[in-house]
Every structure is written in structure tokens, then in C-alpha cells.
Amino acid sequence: MKRFLLPLSFVAVGLSATALEATAQQKSTPAKQPTASTPTAIERDLDVFSDWVNDKLDRAEVGVRRELPRIKEDFDRQSKRLDRAVDSLSSQGKREYNTQKKRYQNWESKQDSLDAAARQPETASAAQRRLLNETVTISRARANELPELYLHLVENTREQRKTWSPADWSAASAVLERLNARYEQVREQLPLEERVRIRSLQAEFRTLEKARDVKDIMKE
């Protein structure tokens, strides 16, 4: 039986047609678009902003006032970028953005109030009340009240001294001197163990005070 062989030119034309058809199909297939679950750049910025606000609001107030100017600059920079593209956010994203802005602004307002109050000169009686945790006339304090008054002074000095100004140290030293004066008047009414305890607290305060002086010298 005779076999009929197709001319090579015919085969080549067939292959070319197949390749052209495949190319046409590829061109007609639309490119994949980002799905609804794909975060856009503005949504990622919102996530970063929300984390930033949460971090600032979770921080302790001590030491924050020092960093407040830089924090305000960071807020302005981030919020301006989000404001320019806020229309690209979903309704939920817009609500979250407005909520986070309001939370931060309330926090900033509180920090500004605390800063203003801290800049006001403190009266001697207010300083004593802050350092002893109570209102008391030291010159009339009973002997058995003195150990706890010394303890409150030293505990507050330990906790607060890192943020103290020279005025704070002066106020604390003045309170100690008033306690010492009263102690000399009534110490014979105290048992030996309480007198030893008071001597120890007096020494600790002076040690903390000297450590502050050494730190200031090293800064200079």
C-alpha cells in the first residue's frame, strides 16, 4: 500500500497556525487583578498607624513628656499621608482611622495638660504631701509615725528620682530635714529597732542624693 507523505511546507504552515492561535489565546486572557483580600498600600499604612497609636497609648506617662515633640511630629507625618489617600480606604478602614486619630488626640491633650501642670512651681506643702503620701504637720508628728514617714519619703525618692529636677531634690531634702528635726525631739520615745530603721532610711536617702550629684558631674 502506498503512503502519502505531506509536503514539509504544509506541515510548517500548520505548526505556525497552531502557535499563532496559542499566542492569541494568551493575549485574550485578562491579567490577574488584586483580590479584595490583598492589602493596598494605604491599608498597610493604616495598619502601621494603628500599631503606632496603640504603642504610644500603652506607654507609661513617666518619661513620655520628654519625647512628646518627636511623637507629635511622627503623628503629623503619618496622618498627613493617610489624609491624602483616605478616599481609597474602605468604610471600615475610614472608621478605624478616625477612631485611632481621636484616641491619639485625646492622649496628646492629656500629656499636654500634665506637662503644663509639671511646669508650675510646686509649693512646699504640695511637695511634702507628694513625698509622704499624706498631709501631716511634721513638727507635731508622733514618734511612732516617723518610721513610716521616712519610709514613704525614701520609697518615693527611689521611684521618682530619675525624672527629678534640682527643685524636686531640694524639696525632698527639705522634707528630710524637717523629719530629722522632729526625730531628734522624740527619738527617746522610740524602741531601739525603730531608731536603727530610721538611721538606715536617712542613710539611703543621702546615698541616692549623692548618686544624683555624681551623675550630674559626669554629664558635665
Side-chain angles (χ1 to χ4, degrees):
M1 180 180 293
K2 291 183 178 180
R3 294 183 179 178
F4 294 96
L5 298 176
L6 294 174
L8 289 176
S9 59
F10 182 81
V11 174
V13 169
L15 290 173
S16 298
T18 302
L20 288 171
E21 183 180 355
T23 301
Q25 287 179 352
Q26 288 177 358
K27 288 183 178 180
S28 64
T29 302
K32 287 187 177 180
Q33 300 296 322
T35 64
S37 61
T38 303
T40 63
I42 185 63
E43 287 170 338
R44 288 194 294 272
D45 286 345
L46 176 58
D47 289 340
V48 170
F49 179 73
S50 296
D51 290 341
W52 182 87
V53 171
N54 290 334
D55 174 67
K56 297 300 173 284
L57 269 62
D58 286 342
R59 296 180 61 182
E61 291 175 357
V62 176
V64 166
R65 288 196 296 273
R66 245 187 346 262
E67 301 177 27
L68 199 54
R70 181 181 57 78
I71 291 173
K72 288 181 178 181
E73 289 177 3
D74 287 347
F75 171 79
D76 289 341
R77 175 177 51 78
Q78 294 188 69
S79 61
K80 284 176 182 176
R81 184 169 62 246
L82 285 162
D83 286 340
R84 286 194 295 267
V86 71
D87 290 339
S88 301
L89 289 171
S90 64
S91 297
Q92 181 179 351
K94 290 176 182 176
R95 284 195 299 272
E96 180 181 352
Y97 178 48
N98 289 331
T99 298
Q100 295 291 11
K101 279 181 72 173
K102 187 66 176 176
R103 290 179 69 219
Y104 170 81
Q105 288 163 349
N106 289 339
W107 176 84
E108 182 184 294
S109 178
K110 179 182 177 184
Q111 298 306 316
D112 285 338
S113 297
L114 291 171
D115 186 51
R119 294 178 187 276
Q120 295 295 322
E122 189 176 36
T123 64
S125 58
Q128 179 176 301
R129 185 167 57 251
R130 172 173 59 85
L131 293 166
L132 300 182
N133 297 343
E134 59 181 285
T135 300
V136 60
T137 303
I138 295 177
S139 61
R140 294 202 296 269
R142 294 191 297 271
N144 61 0
E145 294 175 329
L146 288 177
E148 287 304 302
L149 294 175
Y150 274 103
L151 179 62
H152 290 159
L153 173 63
V154 172
E155 286 180 338
N156 283 319
T157 300
R158 285 192 211 118
E159 293 172 3
Q160 301 172 20
R161 63 193 174 94
K162 291 182 179 179
T163 60
W164 273 4
S165 66
D168 293 316
W169 278 106
S170 295
S173 183
V175 172
L176 179 70
E177 288 172 7
R178 289 195 289 275
L179 286 173
N180 289 346
R182 183 56 176 165
Y183 171 72
E184 291 301 321
Q185 293 172 348
V186 299
R187 66 176 182 172
E188 297 301 327
Q189 301 174 30
L190 289 167
L192 177 61
E193 58 269 22
E194 293 291 18
R195 280 181 276 168
V196 170
R197 181 186 179 198
I198 286 175
R199 288 296 186 189
S200 175
L201 291 167
Q202 290 171 333
E204 182 175 352
F205 181 90
R206 292 306 183 191
T207 298
L208 294 171
E209 193 174 39
K210 287 178 182 177
R212 166 249 179 176
D213 292 338
V214 170
K215 185 178 179 182
D216 288 346
I217 292 171
M218 292 180 68
K219 282 182 178 178
E220 294 174 1

